[in-house]
Amino acid sequence: MTILIDPPNAAGHGRLWSHLASDASYDELHAFARTLGIPERGFDRDHYDVPAEWYDDVLAAGARPVSSRELVARLIAAGLRRRKPRPR
């Protein structure tokens, strides 16, 4: 299992967020998120947005801490990165 989480450094809705991803498969990511009770609505193309207050629990459950840059690089290398569509 290769579940990755970056530090809570993305601001939104008055709080900080981490990004939870898998560099193996979306199925692995969804299964891991379900075990922690992370709502499906938190899934955004290729990762889950996780509030900062959940960070330690996600690490305790087995996610590997990585930088935001490494998380994106690992998604790209695995062919799992889904970019936002560009406006036309």
Side-chain angles (χ1 to χ4, degrees):
M1 174 165 77
T2 313
I3 299 293
L4 311 167
I5 188 165
D6 66 358
N9 58 14
H13 305 285
R15 60 202 312 189
L16 290 176
W17 299 82
S18 290
H19 303 103
L20 182 69
S22 167
D23 69 355
S25 74
Y26 295 121
D27 289 339
E28 175 186 61
L29 176 60
H30 295 308
F32 186 84
R34 275 192 302 274
T35 66
L36 291 172
I38 298 172
E40 289 182 31
R41 71 180 178 275
F43 185 70
D44 184 16
R45 295 179 320 276
D46 55 14
H47 68 276
Y48 280 89
D49 293 320
V50 179
E53 57 270 17
W54 288 38
Y55 183 78
D56 290 335
D57 292 337
V58 174
L59 288 178
R64 181 172 169 243
V66 295
S67 70
S68 300
R69 203 172 285 236
E70 182 178 351
L71 187 142
V72 171
R74 300 268 299 264
L75 284 173
I76 291 169
L80 296 171
R81 180 72 167 148
R82 292 182 180 161
R83 300 181 69 80
K84 285 184 181 179
R86 290 186 177 184
R88 294 180 188 231

